[in-house]
Amino acid sequence: MSRLLVVEDDPDIALALRLLFSRAGYEVAHAADGRAGLKEAYAEHPDLVVLDVGLPEMDGWQVLERLRDVSDVPVLVLTAHGQEAEKVRGLRGGADDYLTKPFANNELLARVEALLRRSSSGQNNWASQIYDDGLVHLDPTKRRVYVKGDEKRLTPTEFRLLNALVRHAGAVLSPNQLLTQAWDDPTGIGQERVKFAVLRLRRKLGWSDPDESPIESVRGFGYRYRRPGGEA
């Protein structure tokens, strides 16, 4: 049974969500504010988080940012705002999906099921050999990454994304290819997710300046990792 965490401050909506998910066969926990939601997520490690944006104590964007520092648990963001800017903000922050209130129950359940399927099947079988080019040292068995000898903390998805790029050093990988390899999502839906994940990965590895980063954006095609010295 999958465990869901609903972080929602409106008691009527929270109750409706708990009933909906419970009747669908999920184990459901609830938190009424951002801080409580974050504490519950850290303690219980849910399989998916349904996160409202307009929360007291700590808003949903802050909760999402904190979650993405330590985990890539699927997060479905709920908001009363349907503006494109809000959707982009959610994707940039690491949300996996986005739904505007009011929503149809069947659509919400379908999106939750899809996210859980992708998450459970996302255990890619990467080569077990250590990768080391003098700049990046990546150990798939121990799930550790070092840049110039300094260990970097990555979420599982960020690790798979970096692994895909360095294993194909010099080659341009399209967003669809990266969705397949890092997210196990061959549908090609949500390509913007790749863009924002690459931005977060660069930042965590200390490569925020795109001109200096060995992870290059190839306009209109995708992304490429360049080994030190520009070698393929």
Side-chain angles (χ1 to χ4, degrees):
M1 181 185 294
S2 296
R3 294 175 296 169
L4 308 186
L5 171 60
V6 174
V7 189
E8 169 63 66
D9 64 314
D10 185 305
D12 293 331
I13 295 177
L15 177 60
L17 290 174
R18 292 180 71 177
L19 290 173
L20 176 68
F21 291 137
S22 296
R23 288 170 180 167
Y26 298 111
E27 181 182 331
V28 187
H30 170 246
D33 63 67
R35 293 190 188 280
L38 205 55
K39 184 177 180 180
E40 183 77 15
Y42 288 162
E44 299 300 327
H45 300 101
D47 298 302
L48 182 142
V49 177
V50 178
L51 178 64
D52 182 39
V53 170
L55 296 169
E57 299 291 331
M58 177 187 292
D59 69 25
W61 303 124
Q62 293 173 297
V63 174
L64 179 60
E65 183 180 1
R66 300 281 185 88
L67 281 175
R68 282 295 170 260
D69 283 340
V70 298
S71 170
D72 63 353
V73 59
V75 176
L76 191 155
V77 169
L78 299 179
T79 178
H81 306 288
Q83 292 96 335
E84 185 69 18
E86 289 284 282
K87 182 177 180 180
V88 170
R89 184 177 182 183
L91 291 169
R92 180 176 286 127
D96 296 276
D97 206 349
Y98 184 99
L99 201 55
T100 304
K101 302 175 185 177
F103 46 79
N105 288 347
N106 286 342
E107 181 181 6
L108 175 59
L109 286 175
R111 289 178 183 240
V112 166
E113 290 167 7
L115 288 175
L116 288 170
R117 278 198 307 271
R118 270 204 305 257
S119 176
S120 64
S121 64
Q123 303 301 320
N124 293 296
N125 294 318
W126 290 99
S128 60
Q129 294 89 349
I130 291 173
Y131 175 89
D132 194 330
D133 61 17
L135 174 63
V136 172
H137 177 101
L138 185 148
D139 187 333
T141 302
K142 296 181 179 179
R143 296 284 172 175
R144 289 188 170 180
V145 174
Y146 300 83
V147 175
K148 294 183 178 179
D150 294 329
E151 186 169 7
K152 304 295 182 179
R153 292 182 58 185
L154 302 180
T155 67
T157 295
E158 290 164 349
F159 185 94
R160 292 193 295 268
L161 178 59
L162 179 62
N163 204 4
L165 289 165
V166 300
R167 300 289 176 182
H168 299 86
V172 177
L173 298 182
S174 70
N176 281 359
Q177 288 174 309
L178 290 171
L179 279 169
T180 299
Q181 296 191 44
W183 282 267
D184 193 36
D185 179 7
T187 64
I189 298 172
Q191 292 188 21
E192 283 188 319
R193 194 186 331 166
V194 177
K195 172 185 174 182
F196 298 128
V198 168
L199 290 174
R200 289 195 302 274
L201 178 62
R202 284 173 172 164
R203 186 177 68 245
K204 284 191 176 183
L205 298 178
W207 302 333
S208 296
D209 184 350
D211 293 330
E212 301 293 330
S213 173
I215 299 177
E216 302 175 341
S217 300
V218 182
R219 189 176 180 84
F221 292 96
Y223 300 91
R224 169 174 56 206
Y225 175 77
R226 281 287 185 182
R227 292 190 181 118
E231 299 173 357

